[in-house]
Amino acid sequence: MTGGMLYVLSSHYPRSTGWRSAYKQWSTSSMFSRQTEENSAKQVDDLGSQFTEIFIKQQENVTLLLTLVEEFDFHVRWPGVKLLTSLLKQQGPQVQQIILVSPMGVSRLMDLLADSREVIRNDGVLLLQQLTKSNAAIQKIVAFENAFERLLDIITEEGNSDGGIVVEDCLLLLQNLLKNNNSNQNFFKEGSYIQRMKPWFEVGDDNCGWSAQKVTNLHLMLQLVRVLVSPTNPPGATSSCQKAMFHCGLLQQLCTILMATGVPADILTETINTVSEVIRGCQTNQDYFASVNAPSNPPRPAIVVLLMSMVNERQPFVLRCAVLYCFQCFLYKNQKGQGEIVSTLLPSTIDATGNSVSAGQLLCGGLFSTDSLSNWCAAVALAHALQENATLKEQLLRVQLATSIGNPPVSLLQQCTNILSQGDKIDRRGSKVQTRVGLLMLLCTWLSNCSIAVTHFLHNPANVPFLTGQIAENLGEEEQLVQGLCALLLGISIYYNDNSLENYRKEKLKQLIEKRIGRENFIEKLGFISKHELYSRAAQKPQPSFSSPDHMMFDHEFTKLVKELEGVISKAIYKSSEEDKKEEEVKKTLEQHDNIVTHYKKVIREQDQELEELKQRINTLTSQNEQLQATVTQQVSQIQQHKDQYNLLKVQLGKDTQHHNSHGETFQMNGIQTEEVSKLKEELEEWKNKHELLQGQLKEKDSVIEKLNSSQLEMGTTEQSSQTSKFGGLEHNNELQKELEMLRSQIQLQSAEISKLQMENQKLQVMVLTTTADPMLGDSGATAATSSELEGRLEQEIKELKSEVKALSEEKESLKQHLDSSSSTVAILQDEKSKLQREVAESKKEQDDLLVLLADQDQKISALKIKLKDLGVPVEDEDDTESGDQGDEDEDGDEEEQD
């Protein structure tokens, strides 16, 4: 039957007849495939799988099918899509490989998304879902064939979250393309497709009556966001997606859903998980989340509202787990947020009025409630507030709690140990051991890497006997986990013990373990933790996911702590007192040397920074010097132009004076004649015009001199500001001195020229007086009147010239004063230069001494490490330690990816 169908499809019948036959064959094939799928669950032999094996045995069959799917005829294309989908469901990997090696195989199927007929387009989406399952190569090809753009367009056309089943199918296909595919995730982010996800989460004020399809669509949309920011992704890719979600407003939109009313419970839970992973490890997003307030009166922080749900035993279990995960992600690598949470517990920040509830008060309330799940969640949340933060561990020791009226307050550490020692005496709802496991995890996190907290813990004489008693007893399987945690806590008290308490020194505690428990028994009880099944589940991923409240025993971050401390505690138990002493001495010596080396490194780093700053200042001074040189060059050219103009005016004034003198002599010799008087008037008028021209040019000269004065003052202020830098330009100072000398000589020349002008003006005045006093002009009244008018005008103009000469002399004096101040500035700069040279020599000498000391310290450290190795103490180099830590992180990452 299969061979006949393929023969019909591949034969060269006329097109119309062939398509009709093909349609009948497709219908028969699709019906046969559907029937086999329906009966596959009932029949022992899977007929659909057998048919698929026969069909794909020859790859040409699948290639022919791909060719026919390209046809536009609905009766051919649609059944072909259905048949190919059935083949992928039955034998997915084999059919995927055939399509992958077929020429343009995937590209042909991508054309289905552009079909104008919705039936074919929608079935094409289902076909691509099956095609992209668990095949990274096909996923990349589909993504680069513009699948993201087409799928997002379909989702928008269908109404986003309000759309139907088509939106759900598109979201499932997007998840196939993006999940565990770093290349496609990066392409999705770089293509700015994250911004197009924001309209999906726009919800109104009335959120009642959501349809089941809308809930499903929104749930898949939230899961798609989590795929992009999953903790299992590479850190760089996750961080870039988190930043993009904040900048486009997607995080803000999710927080709006988080604080909205009427949202279904499962959508609210998934939204909390999504927000958790969007802010995890991203300081910007964590700071924004800390600023979000719930729409209540008065407004409360979103963190406080979420913690209320976590410690409320009436809330659904999955919701409480989601809130705990959100709180953990908020504190992950967020020392600022950790400090804010711990500060709400300190006495100085507690609200005495009781009008508002803080996060610290909610955690304490959950820690000491009668609900075991609330105890565990509060203990884990508080442990995350102390994670890798020794300062906050010390500050939390100051927290005091009021137990009852009339009794003195006790510390938080003491109250935790009191509840731990009471065990099952308190009637609690839930698991019997869950509360103790949570408190032991909190105490282990609190005491690790904090000697002060260990001292406070050992100061209570009842704590060590309680731990040894718990470890030494032979209890049931449920209690073995508590015994392992007690052994871990006692081991932390030994490993991080600074021997400040005489009765609880390291050696005495190890002797106590040897007498009461036995070293082998202690190590065996310590190994109960990592061998527990719930420990392995918690170590797989950061999100707490448990099937029931009784299974909530371990936290993901605590499993890392156990993995880190289990080996070192086992070694510390078997060490002798002499080895401990030698190790402590070596540690102290190494710490001292490390402190010295750190100090010198800090000094060298500071000196390097100072050198960089001085280099930058030298660069700025060099640029300023170049600017000043350009300014001086421009001023020299302006002075030269001014000098040329002045010489030209001087020549013109000399010509006018000679002409006037010759005219006066001729006038006296020839007597009083009307033509000569008229000529004299014309000469006087011409002289007057030229005098006015001279005045205008002198004013221009004054303006140029004012510009020079202002530029020189700017040069003076620039020089004074440059005196504050440690390295000045000596060459610039020498050039400035030369320019000042040139200015002095030019001013002297100008003063000489001004004195010459004054002499010439006096000669002109005498000439005019003699001309007006000549008796040959006395007989003519009109001529006398004209001469008197000319005399008055000349006197007025001469007065104006005198005032201008006086102003020029004043400017000359001011320029001389400026020159004197500039010479003193040059002397100061020279002194500053000599001081800076001495400081540079001293700094170089100090740096050489520091390098010598560093070399000595390195030799001493290497010698001490050799001695330690000779004594049998394992010593790890810094490079080995860093590589080891990196290896551990890589192993953790590999485990998470495998899970």
Side-chain angles (χ1 to χ4, degrees):
M1 177 180 177
T2 304
M5 288 189 293
L6 293 173
Y7 175 76
V8 170
L9 294 175
S10 60
S11 62
H12 299 286
Y13 287 138
R15 180 164 291 275
S16 59
T17 306
W19 290 144
R20 284 196 214 92
S21 300
Y23 173 64
K24 292 179 180 179
Q25 302 297 337
W26 284 151
S27 301
T28 305
S29 303
S30 300
M31 180 179 65
F32 179 75
S33 178
R34 286 196 297 272
Q35 289 177 352
T36 55
E37 288 178 2
E38 293 173 359
N39 297 330
S40 60
K42 301 177 182 179
Q43 297 178 354
V44 178
D45 297 328
D46 189 356
L47 297 179
S49 179
Q50 294 177 5
F51 171 77
T52 304
E53 289 180 1
I54 297 171
F55 188 87
I56 67 175
K57 188 173 293 184
Q58 295 182 354
Q59 296 186 4
E60 293 81 4
N61 297 341
V62 179
T63 305
L64 176 62
L65 184 58
L66 292 173
T67 303
L68 295 174
V69 166
E70 286 186 294
E71 295 295 335
F72 186 74
D73 193 317
F74 178 82
H75 298 293
V76 176
R77 195 173 204 181
W78 181 62
V81 172
K82 301 290 287 184
L83 177 59
L84 191 56
T85 305
S86 300
L87 294 177
L88 286 166
K89 287 181 180 178
Q90 296 297 330
Q91 298 289 337
Q94 293 84 348
V95 180
Q96 285 175 346
Q97 190 63 28
I98 296 172
I99 295 174
L100 188 61
V101 299
S102 299
M104 301 294 292
V106 179
S107 300
R108 295 175 185 178
L109 299 179
M110 284 300 300
D111 294 336
L112 297 173
L113 296 180
D115 201 306
S116 58
R117 295 161 293 191
E118 292 188 0
V119 176
I120 295 179
R121 184 199 67 184
N122 298 343
D123 284 338
V125 173
L126 296 175
L127 171 61
L128 291 174
Q129 279 185 24
Q130 299 297 325
L131 181 64
T132 55
K133 279 185 177 180
S134 304
N135 194 310
I138 294 179
Q139 291 170 1
K140 291 180 182 179
I141 296 173
V142 171
F144 283 94
E145 287 286 343
N146 206 20
F148 294 139
E149 184 75 27
R150 296 181 184 180
L151 291 174
L152 292 174
D153 290 340
I154 294 173
I155 292 173
T156 304
E157 291 172 3
E158 295 292 328
N160 294 328
S161 61
D162 294 324
I165 190 69
V166 179
V167 174
E168 179 182 352
D169 294 336
C170 291
L171 291 171
L172 290 172
L173 178 54
L174 285 172
Q175 284 192 17
N176 286 350
L177 296 174
L178 293 173
K179 194 170 185 179
N180 298 325
N181 194 318
N182 299 329
S183 176
N184 284 1
Q185 290 175 7
N186 186 53
F187 181 71
F188 191 84
K189 178 185 70 68
E190 296 295 335
S192 300
Y193 297 119
I194 292 178
Q195 288 81 343
R196 297 189 60 179
M197 299 170 70
K198 181 184 175 183
W200 296 355
F201 306 102
E202 293 178 355
V203 296
D205 297 332
D206 186 12
N207 297 314
C208 299
W210 283 18
S211 64
Q213 187 62 53
K214 182 174 182 178
V215 172
T216 302
N217 291 343
L218 201 55
H219 197 273
L220 290 173
M221 290 173 178
L222 292 169
Q223 287 182 349
L224 189 63
V225 175
R226 295 185 64 184
V227 167
L228 295 172
V229 293
S230 174
T232 59
N233 294 341
T238 301
S239 176
S240 59
C241 290
Q242 288 173 334
K243 293 176 182 177
M245 290 177 184
F246 174 76
H247 290 303
C248 74
L250 180 59
L251 175 60
Q252 293 84 333
Q253 203 69 42
L254 293 174
C255 291
T256 302
I257 299 177
L258 193 66
M259 295 291 106
T261 57
V263 179
D266 52 348
I267 295 297
L268 181 60
T269 302
E270 190 63 23
T271 303
I272 295 173
N273 289 326
T274 306
V275 171
S276 305
E277 294 182 351
V278 172
I279 67 174
R280 187 177 188 268
C282 182
Q283 188 65 51
T284 304
N285 295 1
Q286 289 169 340
D287 292 341
Y288 170 77
F289 184 70
S291 65
V292 175
N293 289 324
S296 59
N297 190 16
R300 288 177 176 174
I303 298 174
V304 174
V305 176
L306 292 175
L307 288 178
M308 287 180 177
S309 301
M310 186 185 74
V311 299
N312 187 356
E313 56 185 306
R314 290 177 293 181
Q315 293 292 338
F317 171 67
V318 291
L319 179 63
R320 299 174 73 180
C321 291
V323 173
L324 176 61
Y325 183 48
C326 183
F327 191 74
Q328 291 174 350
C329 292
F330 170 69
L331 297 179
Y332 182 72
K333 294 183 180 180
N334 183 11
Q335 292 189 355
K336 179 182 177 183
Q338 289 176 328
E340 291 174 353
I341 297 298
V342 172
S343 65
T344 58
L345 288 166
L346 299 178
S348 58
T349 57
I350 295 177
D351 186 6
T353 59
N355 295 328
S356 61
V357 181
S358 65
Q361 292 172 345
L362 289 171
L363 291 177
C364 283
L367 192 63
F368 306 126
S369 69
T370 56
D371 178 33
S372 61
L373 183 59
S374 297
N375 300 153
W376 190 90
C377 292
V380 171
L382 195 56
H384 275 262
L386 304 175
Q387 199 78 33
E388 297 180 358
N389 199 325
T391 304
L392 295 182
K393 292 177 181 179
E394 295 177 5
Q395 291 185 1
L396 200 64
L397 297 172
R398 297 165 44 201
V399 177
Q400 299 290 323
L401 301 175
T403 55
S404 60
I405 300 175
N407 293 328
V410 296
S411 65
L412 177 61
L413 181 64
Q414 181 64 40
Q415 185 66 12
C416 291
T417 55
N418 291 341
I419 296 176
L420 184 63
S421 61
Q422 291 175 2
D424 298 334
K425 297 178 181 179
I426 301 176
D427 186 16
R428 299 182 186 277
R429 293 179 295 276
S431 174
K432 295 180 180 180
V433 300
Q434 194 172 42
T435 299
R436 286 182 287 168
V437 169
L439 289 173
L440 285 169
M441 287 195 298
L442 172 60
L443 292 173
C444 289
T445 305
W446 194 348
L447 269 61
S448 63
N449 202 19
C450 184
S451 301
I452 299 177
V454 171
T455 303
H456 280 71
F457 177 78
L458 296 176
H459 193 268
N460 186 353
N463 290 336
V464 173
F466 168 75
L467 293 178
T468 54
Q470 288 287 318
I471 300 169
E473 291 182 5
N474 293 321
L475 303 175
E477 185 176 355
E478 292 184 356
E479 297 291 335
Q480 287 182 354
L481 186 57
V482 177
Q483 286 183 319
L485 291 172
C486 288
L488 178 64
L489 182 58
L490 186 57
I492 291 173
S493 302
I494 295 173
Y495 185 73
Y496 292 105
N497 193 343
D498 59 357
N499 293 327
S500 58
L501 296 177
E502 184 63 28
N503 295 331
Y504 296 103
R505 298 174 64 85
K506 286 184 178 182
E507 186 60 30
K508 291 186 177 181
L509 290 175
K510 286 191 282 189
Q511 291 175 0
L512 183 63
I513 291 175
E514 180 68 25
K515 294 178 181 178
R516 296 285 304 276
I517 304 170
R519 292 180 180 179
E520 290 78 9
N521 191 22
F522 180 85
I523 299 300
E524 182 183 358
K525 297 295 178 66
L526 183 62
F528 285 165
I529 302 175
S530 57
K531 294 178 182 179
H532 202 280
E533 180 183 1
L534 298 178
Y535 174 89
S536 302
R537 292 183 185 178
Q540 293 177 0
K541 57 182 180 179
Q543 182 182 1
S545 57
F546 306 98
S547 58
S548 66
D550 294 337
H551 292 165
M552 291 185 72
M553 290 296 174
F554 287 106
D555 172 59
H556 178 74
E557 293 296 326
F558 181 74
T559 60
K560 294 181 180 180
L561 181 65
V562 173
K563 185 177 180 180
E564 177 185 352
L565 294 178
E566 187 175 5
V568 295
I569 290 175
S570 300
K571 292 180 182 179
I573 294 299
Y574 283 102
K575 284 183 181 179
S576 62
S577 59
E578 295 180 356
E579 291 177 348
D580 286 338
K581 290 180 181 179
K582 291 180 180 179
E583 185 177 354
E584 288 178 2
E585 292 177 357
V586 172
K587 283 183 178 179
K588 290 180 180 179
T589 306
L590 289 175
E591 288 178 359
Q592 292 176 358
H593 288 295
D594 289 340
N595 293 334
I596 294 172
V597 172
T598 304
H599 173 69
Y600 284 125
K601 286 181 179 179
K602 183 179 179 181
V603 172
I604 292 173
R605 195 178 299 112
E606 291 176 354
Q607 289 184 350
D608 290 338
Q609 291 178 356
E610 291 178 358
L611 288 174
E612 289 296 330
E613 291 177 357
L614 291 174
K615 287 179 181 179
Q616 292 178 0
R617 289 181 182 178
I618 288 173
N619 293 331
T620 55
L621 288 174
T622 303
S623 61
Q624 290 178 0
N625 187 17
E626 292 175 355
Q627 294 177 359
L628 290 174
Q629 287 178 355
T631 305
V632 169
T633 305
Q634 185 179 2
Q635 290 177 353
V636 169
S637 62
Q638 290 178 356
I639 290 171
Q640 185 64 35
Q641 292 177 2
H642 180 69
K643 185 177 180 181
D644 295 340
Q645 292 176 359
Y646 184 78
N647 292 331
L648 181 61
L649 290 174
K650 181 180 177 183
V651 172
Q652 290 178 354
L653 185 60
K655 290 180 179 180
D656 293 338
T657 304
Q658 292 177 0
H659 180 72
H660 182 72
N661 290 335
S662 62
H663 180 74
E665 292 175 355
T666 306
F667 183 76
Q668 290 179 0
M669 290 173 63
N670 296 332
I672 302 172
Q673 296 180 1
T674 307
E675 294 178 357
E676 292 176 352
V677 171
S678 63
K679 288 181 180 179
L680 179 60
K681 290 180 180 180
E682 290 175 359
E683 292 281 345
L684 289 173
E685 289 294 329
E686 185 180 359
W687 185 84
K688 181 180 178 182
N689 293 332
K690 291 181 179 180
H691 193 271
E692 290 177 354
L693 179 62
L694 179 61
Q695 274 188 335
Q697 293 176 350
L698 287 173
K699 289 181 179 179
E700 291 178 358
K701 178 182 175 182
D702 293 337
S703 64
V704 172
I705 290 172
E706 290 177 358
K707 289 180 180 178
L708 289 174
N709 289 333
S710 62
S711 64
Q712 288 172 357
L713 288 174
E714 290 176 359
M715 289 169 59
T717 55
T718 307
E719 291 167 359
Q720 289 177 1
S721 63
S722 64
Q723 289 175 11
T724 58
S725 63
K726 288 189 176 181
F727 292 97
L730 181 59
E731 295 179 359
H732 172 65
N733 296 332
N734 295 332
E735 291 178 359
L736 183 60
Q737 256 184 337
K738 293 178 181 179
E739 293 297 331
L740 293 175
E741 293 296 334
M742 290 173 63
L743 288 173
R744 286 179 179 175
S745 60
Q746 290 175 2
I747 289 171
Q748 290 176 359
L749 292 173
Q750 288 178 358
S751 62
E753 290 174 355
I754 290 169
S755 62
K756 289 180 181 179
L757 282 175
Q758 289 177 351
M759 295 294 292
E760 290 174 356
N761 288 330
Q762 290 178 1
K763 290 180 181 179
L764 287 173
Q765 186 177 2
V766 171
M767 182 185 68
V768 172
L769 290 174
T770 55
T771 304
T772 54
D774 198 327
M776 295 174 65
L777 299 176
D779 296 335
S780 177
T783 303
T786 303
S787 300
S788 62
E789 289 177 0
L790 290 173
E791 181 181 358
R793 289 177 183 177
L794 286 172
E795 287 178 355
Q796 185 177 359
E797 290 173 355
I798 288 167
K799 289 180 180 178
E800 291 175 356
L801 286 172
K802 287 182 178 180
S803 62
E804 289 175 356
V805 168
K806 184 177 180 181
L808 287 172
S809 62
E810 291 176 355
E811 289 178 355
K812 174 185 174 184
E813 293 296 330
S814 64
L815 287 173
K816 285 183 179 180
Q817 293 177 359
H818 180 67
L819 287 173
D820 295 335
S821 63
S822 298
S823 61
S824 62
T825 302
V826 169
I828 293 171
L829 287 174
Q830 289 178 350
D831 294 336
E832 189 70 17
K833 177 199 170 186
S834 61
K835 291 180 181 179
L836 290 174
Q837 287 177 346
R838 288 195 298 270
E839 290 178 359
V840 168
E842 292 176 357
S843 64
K844 287 182 178 178
K845 184 178 178 182
E846 289 178 357
Q847 189 171 6
D848 293 337
D849 295 339
L850 290 175
L851 291 174
V852 172
L853 288 173
L854 281 175
D856 294 338
Q857 294 299 329
D858 290 336
Q859 292 178 359
K860 290 180 180 179
I861 291 172
S862 60
L864 288 172
K865 288 181 178 179
I866 292 170
K867 290 181 180 180
L868 286 174
K869 290 179 180 180
D870 295 336
L871 292 173
V873 178
V875 179
E876 294 180 354
D877 295 331
E878 294 181 355
D879 297 336
D880 298 337
T881 305
E882 292 176 357
S883 62
D885 295 339
Q886 184 66 30
D888 293 340
E889 293 176 0
D890 295 339
E891 292 177 2
D892 294 342
D894 295 337
E895 291 177 2
E896 292 176 358
E897 292 178 358
Q898 292 174 4
D899 296 332

